[in-house]
Amino acid sequence: MLPLAYLIKENEPLAPYCSMRVGGNAKYIVLPDSISALGSALRDLAFKGERFIVVGNCSNLVFPDSGFDGAVVVTCGVRGVSCGADGTLEALCGETLSSLARCARDNSRSGLEFCHGIPGTVGGGAFMNAGAYGGEISQRLTECTVLDNNLEDKTVSAAELGFGYRKSAFADKGYVLLSAKFSTLPGDRNEIAAKMEDLMARRKKSQPLEYPSCGSAFKRPEGYYAGALIEQCGLKGTRVGGAEVSEKHAGFIINRGAATASDILELMRLVRDRVLKNTGVRLEPEIRFIDTEF
Ligand SMILES: Cc1cc2nc3c(=O)[nH]c(=O)nc-3n(C[C@H](O)[C@H](O)[C@H](O)COP(=O)(O)OP(=O)(O)OC[C@H]3O[C@@H](n4cnc5c(N)ncnc54)[C@H](O)[C@@H]3O)c2cc1C
């Protein structure tokens, strides 16, 4: 028998893989370290009829306390990023958004500075159409290679990916992102570096980065800021179990140390209901709750 091209851990706790540090055990955690190993893993799982989900850094995901009855395929070992002569960056799905930004900077290419400090991967960033400080993935991603829902390789253009505010068509189409290309503009390395440092300083100043979280818990409702609405309702510091509405940034739900996935969910429902009652604005979660209705 040939050795497997990927590592499998059985009945493995999910919390250490997730930035919120909650979640039960996964039946399997699968850790490929290349595109071909990722493809083999998914084909093997499909052949066995095993349910699976592909994740990056789990920085926007909450798995239930009961865990995941299937395989969680973690791509963060599938790394690599390079810059072509025309300034196109190409990155594998598990590359971090921060190192994508650093690669652009090191090649004096501008346009991806906003990625610096978003703690996700290229795959998760494309799925979520991650963005910050006026930039978002859809402005720069030109095309990507995916596995379609028959697990066959395909190249798709950005126009086919249905990008919107913190959304894309990856889920509807059943695509797994393998690699992506990004367009950039020529720039001055020092200016790019200064912009990246400034954005990171702004994050450190305004966000509770010392606690586990998934970043902004809710999407920005049109015409408002979720954090401002939550603060206006007097919810800063509200706790359910170990979950808390951050005192530093009301848009963040943090894990004070011993939170469960149910604590996070219950607190977010409480916040949603209070904001709706007091302001008439309905908050939608940005965090993705796996196997759980919000
Ligand atoms: C401190 C902090 C700050 C943050 N700041 C920001 C911010 O400024 N802007 C912002 O937009 N977000 C922010 N986030 C949220 C999060 O980092 C982003 O949503 C990020 O894009 C998620 O990437 P990920 O690799 O962690 O994806 P995951 O959380 O692992 O997955 C997210 C979704 O993408 C899917 N997915 C992952 N990889 C693939 C793939 N290869 N193919 C297909 N689907 C895939 C998963 O199934 C899941 O549905 C922040 C989070 C934290 C903890």
Side-chain angles (χ1 to χ4, degrees), residues 19 53-61 75 93 97 117-132 166 170 175-178 203 207 209 213-216 252 286 288 290:
S19 71
I53 178 172
V54 176
V55 302
N57 281 347
C58 295
S59 62
N60 203 49
L61 287 183
T75 62
C93 54
L97 292 170
I118 303 179
T121 61
V122 164
F127 184 103
M128 292 303 301
N129 189 17
R166 299 293 175 269
F170 278 94
Y175 288 163
V176 172
L177 184 138
L178 299 177
R203 276 181 189 277
Q207 301 179 357
L209 301 182
S213 80
C214 281
S216 298
F252 278 54
E286 182 163 326
R288 292 179 63 81
I290 304 300

Side-chain angles (χ1 to χ4, degrees), residues 249-269:
H249 187 316
F252 278 54
I253 302 287
I254 56 173
N255 179 351
R256 296 278 309 188
T260 61
S262 316
D263 293 342
I264 308 286
L265 187 66
E266 203 184 310
L267 180 59
M268 283 185 57
R269 286 179 175 152

Side-chain angles (χ1 to χ4, degrees), residues 78 100 185 189 194 231:
V78 184
L100 180 71
L185 302 164
R189 190 186 189 287
E231 189 170 353

Side-chain angles (χ1 to χ4, degrees), residues 3 24 42 73 75 86 124 128 141 180 195 199 212 216 236 256 265 267 272:
L42 298 184
V73 181
T75 62
D86 65 349
M128 292 303 301
L141 189 149
K195 187 167 174 193
L199 296 184
S216 298
K236 264 190 171 180
R256 296 278 309 188
L265 187 66
L267 180 59
R272 174 198 62 192

